[in-house]
Amino acid sequence: MRVHFIAIGGSIMHNLAITLQQKGYNVSGSDDHIYEPASSNLKKFDLLPEEFGWHPEKITKDINAVILGMHARKDNPELLKAKQLGLKIYSFPEYVYSQTKNKQRIVVAGSHGKTTVSSMIIHVLSYWNIECDYLVGAALKGIERPVKLTESAPVVILEGDEYMSSPLDLRPKFLNYHHHIGVITGIAWDHVNVYPKYEDYEKQFELFIEESPKAGVLIYSTDDKVLKKLVKKSTISGDVDVIPYEKMKSKLKDGTTFLTGGSVNTATKVFGEHNLQNMTAAMEVCKRLNVSKDEFIEAIASFEGAALRMQLVKDLGTTKVFRDFAHAPSKVRATVNALAKQYAKKDVVACLELHTFSSLTSTFLSEYAKTLKEADIPLVYFNPKVVENKGLEKITAEDIYKAFDQKNVEVFTDEKALYQRLKEIDWENKNLLLMSSGQFNKMPIDELVEFIASK
């Protein structure tokens, strides 16, 4: 089997390429830019292209499948050559489906929490030695890479993104997986470049609900009023097992969250109401894979979270430093609230980078109103060059300040000024939360942590 990746450097794309090579496929790929960690990962497996750019000569008749990444354009020279030769062209979710047709497919969808729920399920199944394949959007402790596709595993866990599948396939990725068990964690408007109207965004989840198959399972959060309404008005088959869920029962004591729903109280390493909801969603899936409630709670106690999901970077005693991928308003609000409640006796310094297309769109900014209200020192950073590079309407620091609607919000457009502000803070009994899907324009976070540690 010969497979070629157009835009091989993507997070899932490069991991899928490595996985297929390990299955014995002949894999090649191209991209115009490849960043870390994809570059090092591809190099390790001798899959890093010799030179960047698009090379139509790589596209030959003996290729069995071309997998098209989102980064490629419709006029990509390699794509045009593949079409000319009549080759089979897949988006990566279409290709993953082709590899998992004979497996029970569990798809976790939602505007927030889908990476964590997927990771929790994988962790619990691994703990109990239940074989499964998976595709998830973050690194997991004890898991070599976030994509695994075997011939033997009867079940696959798929993180279902609502973003479009490829430049040629505008359907959400999660519709290409055709779930047997579907999970929806909640709906909060995002990806305004693809769904400029909220109604368009909501419609995708309605389609996901309606695709629930006869004798299938749909698991959804009752905390989301819009989601509850969509499920109630849906026309899904009467024999679909529809399961609402709430947050896991717990108690908080001395900065530790204990799960109280099992036969014994169990301490957990992750915290926050959103994660207690994520746990219940994961547990409902695991029940259908013959894992009891007590077995789930025993296993989840050792779950440390997915990378950059409330990840503890450094514990400095009176100060803890966390990093989180939070960027959408609902994620920012939930993450800040979780940290504020877990460590109620410590101040929260919440540092948020606006980096995504949605977060830098002027008409969307008002969605961030009051999202940092639980932070004692709320800091917001954005890079005007990123706004320009994305072709967006210019925004100002004053626009950000007004959108967040909090008098104590400080706005920065220069990462050096932000870095200096963070160094000026008295860190006694304060926790630092760094939230971004980017890198704060390469602000030296490791140096910052060492500086805080020295105080």
Side-chain angles (χ1 to χ4, degrees):
M1 177 69 72
R2 182 158 180 236
V3 180
H4 181 79
F5 286 75
I6 300 177
I8 196 172
S11 176
I12 294 296
M13 289 282 280
H14 87 272
N15 279 300
L16 178 58
I18 292 169
T19 298
L20 294 181
Q21 187 197 64
Q22 291 181 316
K23 287 184 71 172
Y25 290 17
N26 181 355
V27 178
S28 60
S30 301
D31 213 323
D32 53 358
H33 293 288
I34 300 179
Y35 303 99
E36 293 294 353
S39 180
S40 294
N41 290 341
L42 289 170
K43 186 175 182 180
K44 178 180 177 181
F45 291 90
D46 199 27
L47 288 174
L48 187 67
E50 292 183 2
E51 58 179 326
F52 291 148
W54 312 113
H55 307 280
E57 64 275 11
K58 289 185 177 182
I59 309 301
T60 54
K61 290 183 179 180
D62 62 331
I63 292 177
N64 301 102
V66 172
I67 303 178
L68 179 64
M70 272 306 308
H71 176 60
R73 294 161 50 107
K74 289 182 179 180
D75 61 354
N76 182 283
E78 293 186 11
L79 175 59
L80 295 178
K81 179 71 174 294
K83 285 182 174 181
Q84 179 186 339
L85 294 177
L87 301 180
K88 181 63 178 175
I89 301 168
Y90 298 85
S91 64
F92 86 70
E94 285 180 306
Y95 192 79
V96 168
Y97 172 70
S98 76
Q99 293 272 306
T100 59
K101 281 184 178 180
N102 297 323
K103 300 178 186 291
Q104 183 180 28
R105 292 179 301 281
I106 297 164
V107 180
V108 182
S111 304
H112 39 252
K114 53 186 175 287
T115 299
T116 299
V117 173
S118 302
S119 302
M120 287 177 170
I121 297 168
I122 295 165
H123 175 85
V124 171
L125 297 182
S126 176
Y127 183 93
W128 292 112
N129 296 314
I130 298 172
E131 187 179 11
C132 70
D133 286 347
Y134 45 78
L135 183 152
V136 65
L140 303 175
K141 189 172 183 178
I143 301 295
E144 185 178 3
R145 63 180 28 81
V147 178
K148 179 186 176 188
L149 295 173
T150 66
E151 299 300 327
S152 58
V155 175
V156 61
I157 317 301
L158 300 166
E159 180 181 335
D161 189 355
E162 67 271 25
Y163 202 74
M164 58 188 184
S165 297
S166 82
L168 300 182
D169 183 359
L170 304 185
R171 293 173 297 173
K173 296 184 183 76
F174 57 46
L175 293 183
N176 275 313
Y177 292 138
H178 307 291
H179 64 274
H180 297 112
I181 299 176
V183 179
I184 306 181
T185 61
I187 302 172
W189 190 23
D190 200 357
H191 307 307
V192 295
N193 53 323
V194 180
Y195 308 111
K197 295 180 180 179
Y198 171 78
E199 293 76 15
D200 298 332
Y201 182 77
E202 182 183 301
K203 179 66 177 178
Q204 311 314 309
F205 292 94
E206 184 177 351
L207 294 172
F208 182 84
I209 292 167
E210 296 291 348
E211 197 180 79
S212 298
K214 192 176 179 66
V217 179
L218 178 67
I219 300 167
Y220 73 98
S221 170
T222 58
D223 191 54
D224 190 306
K225 293 180 181 178
V226 172
L227 179 53
K228 285 175 67 175
K229 183 178 178 181
L230 289 181
V231 172
K232 186 175 181 180
K233 77 172 188 177
S234 71
T235 59
I236 54 179
S237 172
D239 65 356
V240 173
D241 193 3
V242 179
I243 302 166
Y245 71 86
E246 299 176 342
K247 66 180 180 180
M248 186 82 73
K249 291 182 179 178
S250 68
K251 67 177 182 179
L252 178 60
K253 183 178 180 181
D254 299 329
T256 300
T257 296
F258 292 86
L259 305 181
T260 60
S263 57
V264 296
N265 291 350
T266 304
T268 180
K269 296 182 179 181
V270 295
F271 56 86
E273 291 193 5
H274 63 303
N275 274 326
L276 293 170
Q277 290 174 331
N278 292 336
M279 280 184 196
T280 312
M283 183 178 69
E284 292 296 341
V285 171
C286 289
K287 281 181 182 178
R288 276 133 197 93
L289 301 176
N290 298 317
V291 177
S292 71
K293 185 174 186 177
D294 279 346
E295 287 173 333
F296 177 87
I297 290 175
E298 177 184 329
I300 206 66
S302 57
F303 178 71
E304 297 182 12
L308 296 181
R309 270 66 178 182
M310 195 62 89
Q311 181 179 352
L312 179 60
V313 176
K314 196 78 171 180
D315 187 344
L316 303 172
T318 61
T319 299
K320 290 180 173 61
V321 180
F322 294 88
R323 293 209 57 184
D324 199 280
F325 194 71
H327 53 84
S330 61
K331 299 175 184 178
V332 172
R333 182 181 291 106
T335 304
V336 174
N337 289 355
L339 192 61
K341 288 182 179 179
Q342 190 74 7
Y343 302 100
K345 294 181 180 179
K346 294 187 178 183
D347 288 348
V348 175
V349 180
C351 186
L352 169 67
E353 178 183 17
L354 301 179
H355 183 73
T356 64
F357 189 101
S358 295
S359 68
L360 295 170
T361 301
S362 57
T363 55
F364 186 80
L365 280 175
S366 61
E367 299 289 320
Y368 285 94
K370 306 294 186 183
T371 54
L372 296 176
K373 69 178 181 179
E374 297 295 329
D376 299 279
I377 303 178
L379 311 173
V380 180
Y381 164 79
F382 77 99
N383 186 342
K385 289 183 179 179
V386 172
V387 179
E388 183 181 345
N389 291 340
K390 292 181 184 293
L392 293 167
E393 179 183 341
K394 182 179 177 181
I395 56 177
T396 66
E398 184 63 22
D399 294 330
I400 303 296
Y401 181 79
K402 289 180 179 178
F404 278 81
D405 192 23
Q406 289 176 236
K407 290 183 178 180
N408 62 337
V409 166
E410 301 174 46
V411 183
F412 298 83
T413 58
D414 180 355
E415 70 280 0
K416 293 179 181 178
L418 173 62
Y419 182 74
Q420 186 59 39
R421 174 70 177 99
L422 288 167
K423 289 176 67 176
E424 291 171 355
I425 293 172
D426 177 3
W427 286 102
E428 184 72 19
N429 285 321
K430 292 183 179 67
N431 287 331
L432 173 60
L433 173 60
L434 296 163
M435 295 177 286
S436 177
S437 59
Q439 296 292 330
F440 291 93
N441 200 27
K442 298 183 179 180
M443 184 176 72
I445 292 172
D446 290 343
E447 290 182 18
L448 174 64
V449 171
E450 291 304 316
F451 175 83
I452 295 172
S454 68
K455 294 298 177 182

